[in-house]
């Protein structure tokens, strides 16, 4: 079983796996990892918070580091941003993931 830590919603996923995973396990896991990355970004198009919260750690161990260096610790601190995201003026224009390699 893989353990995963999602850092921010820029699509950075760090997975901790056994030292020598079976090739079948990796093949089965790739689509799930890709979907998690897409959900972490794509939720904003329709403001689908359920989609977002399905792919991030719902606990005090959540950690997000923004490109500007801001650090968010814990799900409660993360959820404080909902008032910004759900504001009608906050609109996702588009996102594009190219050449994703997992």
């Amino acid at each position: 079983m893989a353990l995963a830590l999602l850092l921010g919603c820029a699509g950075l996923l760090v997975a901790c796996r056994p030292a020598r995973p079976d090739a079948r396990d990796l093949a089965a896991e790739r689509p799930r990892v890709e979907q998690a990355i897409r959900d972490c970004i794509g939720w904003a198009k329709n403001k689908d918070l359920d989609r977002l919260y399905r792919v991030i750690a719902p606990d005090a161990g959540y950690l997000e580091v923004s490109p500007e260096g801001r650090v968010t610790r814990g799900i409660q601190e993360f959820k404080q941003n909902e008032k910004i995201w759900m504001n009608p003026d906050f609109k996702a224009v588009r996102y594009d993931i190219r050449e994703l390699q997992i």
Side-chain angles (χ1 to χ4, degrees), residues 4-13 40-41 43 52-66 70-81 85:
L5 169 65
L6 192 58
L7 300 177
C9 286
L12 175 60
L13 186 72
C40 191
I41 300 168
W43 73 271
L52 171 64
Y53 290 128
R54 279 193 303 265
V55 297
I56 63 173
D59 57 39
Y62 178 82
L63 176 68
E64 175 183 277
V65 180
S66 75
R70 182 174 184 269
V71 178
T72 301
R73 290 181 175 87
I75 195 67
Q76 294 308 318
E77 186 175 333
F78 180 78
K79 285 185 171 190
Q80 291 175 6
N81 293 313
W85 303 329

Side-chain angles (χ1 to χ4, degrees), residues 19-88:
R20 294 177 186 244
D22 185 279
R24 291 181 307 248
D25 292 341
L26 288 175
E29 195 73 11
R30 277 190 179 96
R32 292 176 53 202
V33 171
E34 180 175 348
Q35 189 60 52
I37 292 168
R38 293 183 184 284
D39 287 347
C40 191
I41 300 168
W43 73 271
K45 181 177 181 186
N46 296 316
K47 297 183 182 251
D48 186 350
L49 289 175
D50 289 335
R51 183 177 177 189
L52 171 64
Y53 290 128
R54 279 193 303 265
V55 297
I56 63 173
D59 57 39
Y62 178 82
L63 176 68
E64 175 183 277
V65 180
S66 75
E68 298 84 26
R70 182 174 184 269
V71 178
T72 301
R73 290 181 175 87
I75 195 67
Q76 294 308 318
E77 186 175 333
F78 180 78
K79 285 185 171 190
Q80 291 175 6
N81 293 313
E82 285 182 18
K83 60 185 171 212
I84 297 168
W85 303 329
M86 300 311 284
N87 183 312

